[in-house]
Amino acid sequence: YTQASAIFKDKFTKDGSGALNKMLEERLDSLYADYLSGEKEYTEAKEELDTIKDFGITDLKKKVNSTGVKLNDLKTSKSAYEKAEKYYGKKNYALSIKEYDKVIKDDPNYQEAKIRRAQAVSNYRNTLLSEAASLVSNGDYNSAVKLLETSEDILGKDKLIKKRIAEYSKNKNSENRQQVLDASDEHAYNENYAAAITVIMTALKENEDLSTDETIMNNLDEYRKSYTEQFSEKIDGYINDGLFEE
């Protein structure tokens, strides 16, 4: 094409700018089509584009730039599809989905990418659900919920994932609730009300849903009252012992 540019320049001097502009404009259209069909590699298409750009024709500047953008976008798309296929083959479905999402409509692989993406989504979802179920079977609801929540960046608000998160969260809260009650009750039984209060307050910071639990909140009020009474009794004892004046 570089050699042919000399002919174009000669034609430019004989026929005027109009003929050359039209010829180059048509070539820009076919240039993208050639890369799209695979007739030309990206490096070949880019080299030819740069040669046309070197003519420095003002009227073609906008089309030259837009063609360059289209070539780069298609190159990125084709590369993304290749990466997606590699990730899929390695069963890294999360990364494959991200790469399939980068395939543009102009790309000949677009329709196949949509099909493969749907398969990757199904496989990714099933893998997550299986791993979460395994964690739940060991009583680890908290880790199961966290695992499923990581899928939102890839799957968005997936209905099945959301349903399972709701189920596990309910069980997690129930399990957490009992642990809080048991631990705080044990401290209260030993009259360590400060520790009982700390257990509940820590749990409330980690799980705000527990603030609606009537039993836990009533216990917290009771432990606070007992702690205040206990503290007052200690002060009175110190005063009676003459450790400090009233």
Side-chain angles (χ1 to χ4, degrees), residues 56-238:
I57 300 174
T58 304
D59 291 345
L60 289 179
K61 185 176 180 180
K62 186 174 181 180
K63 190 171 184 67
V64 167
N65 290 339
S66 64
T67 301
V69 171
K70 288 171 66 177
L71 285 173
N72 288 333
D73 288 347
L74 185 56
K75 178 176 181 289
T76 299
S77 178
K78 288 185 174 184
S79 175
Y81 181 77
E82 291 177 2
K83 289 179 181 178
E85 287 291 275
K86 290 180 180 178
Y87 285 134
Y88 189 97
K90 295 177 180 179
K91 297 184 178 181
N92 191 334
Y93 301 119
L95 289 181
S96 71
I97 292 169
K98 286 186 176 181
E99 294 301 325
Y100 284 131
D101 284 341
K102 297 176 184 177
V103 179
I104 62 177
K105 289 185 178 181
D106 269 4
D107 195 321
N109 297 309
Y110 180 70
Q111 290 302 324
E112 183 63 21
K114 287 177 64 178
I115 295 172
R116 297 285 280 175
R117 184 190 186 282
Q119 294 171 340
V121 166
S122 178
N123 291 338
Y124 179 53
R125 181 192 297 114
N126 291 337
T127 298
L128 282 177
L129 291 173
S130 177
E131 291 178 0
S134 179
L135 290 169
V136 167
S137 67
N138 293 320
D140 193 353
Y141 290 98
N142 191 50
S143 294
V145 170
K146 287 182 178 179
L147 173 64
L148 294 179
E149 286 176 340
T150 62
S151 71
E152 187 171 337
D153 288 344
I154 306 296
L155 301 180
K157 301 293 185 180
D158 185 89
K159 290 183 179 179
L160 188 54
I161 295 292
K162 283 181 64 180
K163 180 181 178 182
R164 201 68 82 239
I165 288 175
E167 292 174 2
Y168 292 162
S169 293
K170 184 177 180 181
N171 289 322
K172 180 190 75 172
N173 288 339
S174 177
E175 180 183 44
N176 189 22
R177 173 184 184 275
Q178 195 56 51
Q179 289 175 346
V180 171
L181 288 173
D182 290 345
S184 59
D185 282 349
E186 183 176 354
H187 287 305
Y189 178 78
N190 293 316
E191 297 186 353
N192 189 348
Y193 299 111
I197 293 170
T198 299
V199 168
I200 294 178
M201 293 303 297
T202 300
L204 290 174
K205 288 181 181 179
E206 295 175 351
N207 187 352
E208 293 180 358
D209 291 340
L210 292 176
S211 63
T212 61
D213 189 291
E214 188 175 347
T215 301
I216 287 179
M217 298 311 293
N218 286 340
N219 284 0
L220 179 60
D221 288 339
E222 182 183 331
Y223 298 153
R224 281 172 171 166
K225 289 177 183 178
S226 297
Y227 175 74
T228 300
E229 292 173 359
Q230 187 182 61
F231 185 75
S232 296
E233 289 175 1
K234 285 184 178 180
I235 295 299
D236 290 341
Y238 293 151

